[in-house]
Amino acid sequence: MPPPDSVPLVELRDVTKAYAEGDTVREVLSGVRLALHRGEFVVLLGRSGSGKSTLLNLISGIDLPSQGEVRVDGRDLGRLNERERTLLRRERIGFIFQAFNLLPTLTVEENVRLPLELNGHGGAEASARARVLLEQVGLGNRANSFPDRLSGGEQQRVAVARALAHEPPLLLADEPTGNLDEATGRQVLDLLEALTRKGNTCALVVTHEPGLVARAHRVLTMEGGRLVEVPQAPARKEAL
Ligand SMILES: Nc1ncnc2c1ncn2[C@@H]1O[C@H](COP(=O)(O)OP(=O)(O)O)[C@@H](O)[C@H]1O
Ligand SMILES: [Mg+2]
């Protein structure tokens, strides 16, 4: 456990998010509180439409809350302008989208290099790092392929490599195995867990994969607009 006085990597203070729907306003998140620390592997559960993607979008600063504060590394995202939020996201966050979002005109290696380039670390070092990551995800021989030549499972593994390329302290993954068969999905999650553990990264992963739920440090669930911590058997935590 982190020391109680350490600044959380992510902190949500009474976060509410409401969307207007015609004349009515519908609250998707209601007074959500959360603190995440480095090294934690956290699974987020919840039914479809319960607000999981909304929560990830708020944490990444893609979207802003209606009320309350979202802090990343102690910085209140609501006090940053859009460019500052983009920079923070680029430097501090890796995001794995459900639909991969690989850039079709870039090769596999160029896709993985992109976060490094955007952070000003191009050149031979970036290529070397991309190659190592592609080896780790089992795609060392596909560096020069274009994404549309890859299967769904392979594209998802490229998305994992890309999200981790710049060694972000925070990894957000939105149903990263939603489009994969069971065996490939398990492979992707194993890899995600191993790579985040190695980098002492905090990972918040939306998934219903039972194997991962059992291995997570913490399991949270979205219910009626609130975030609820699911108690875990002590044996599970000790087994980590
Ligand atoms: N931009 C938006 N405008 C209006 N309603 C939205 C918007 N984004 C999400 N919602 C609504 O918020 C609820 C939660 O959505 P979402 O966070 O995507 O759920 P989940 O990821 O858990 O399936 C849904 O009812 C959805 O329709
Ligand atoms: Mg979603």
Side-chain angles (χ1 to χ4, degrees):
M1 289 297 283
D5 58 353
S6 69
V7 176
L9 184 60
V10 173
E11 192 177 9
L12 272 67
R13 298 183 181 170
D14 297 321
V15 165
T16 293
K17 181 69 183 178
Y19 291 112
E21 234 176 37
D23 292 343
T24 57
V25 173
R26 215 161 51 80
E27 215 169 86
V28 177
L29 304 181
S30 312
V32 169
R33 291 174 191 200
L34 174 66
L36 299 175
H37 295 86
R38 261 182 184 267
E40 284 188 320
F41 200 96
V42 183
V43 161
L44 176 60
L45 306 172
R47 298 171 63 164
S48 173
S50 60
K52 304 180 297 296
S53 296
T54 300
L55 186 78
L56 295 196
N57 288 340
L58 293 179
I59 293 174
S60 68
I62 290 172
D63 206 353
L64 289 172
S66 311
Q67 283 172 48
E69 280 178 24
V70 177
R71 292 175 172 268
V72 175
D73 258 349
R75 296 172 77 188
D76 180 356
L77 299 189
R79 292 180 181 273
L80 305 181
N81 63 33
E82 196 161 332
R83 170 152 180 81
E84 290 167 330
R85 286 203 306 277
T86 300
L87 280 177
L88 183 100
R89 182 162 58 244
R90 188 181 284 175
E91 288 170 12
R92 315 296 285 162
I93 299 178
F95 206 133
I96 303 175
F97 298 91
Q98 187 165 6
F100 318 142
N101 290 8
L102 299 178
L103 297 180
T105 56
L106 300 183
T107 65
V108 162
E109 182 181 319
E110 288 163 351
N111 265 281
V112 176
R113 278 173 58 104
L114 192 61
L116 294 163
E117 304 262 6
L118 290 173
N119 283 301
H121 306 293
E125 226 168 279
S127 292
R129 167 93 183 132
R131 294 281 173 158
V132 167
L133 277 160
L134 287 170
E135 287 292 337
Q136 284 177 321
V137 299
L139 291 173
N141 58 346
R142 303 306 298 273
N144 297 319
S145 302
F146 285 90
D148 67 353
R149 300 286 152 186
L150 271 50
S151 72
E154 288 169 335
Q155 290 185 40
Q156 190 60 296
R157 284 185 275 153
V158 177
V160 169
R162 183 182 59 177
L164 293 167
H166 53 309
E167 301 186 61
L170 177 62
L171 181 82
L172 302 172
D174 199 352
E175 307 200 35
T177 61
N179 297 300
L180 307 182
D181 64 77
E182 207 179 313
T184 311
R186 207 175 306 119
Q187 265 178 13
V188 164
L189 291 172
D190 283 347
L191 186 75
L192 208 61
E193 193 191 9
L195 293 180
T196 52
R197 191 183 295 243
K198 207 166 139 226
N200 196 27
T201 302
C202 171
L204 180 59
V205 183
V206 177
T207 181
H208 289 90
E209 172 62 41
L212 198 74
V213 174
R215 279 182 286 159
H217 296 107
R218 293 165 68 190
V219 178
L220 309 171
T221 183
M222 287 294 319
E223 270 176 31
R226 295 186 185 274
L227 204 51
V228 181
E229 193 108 23
V230 180
Q232 286 194 281
R236 284 181 181 169
K237 287 189 177 168
E238 278 157 23
L240 282 166

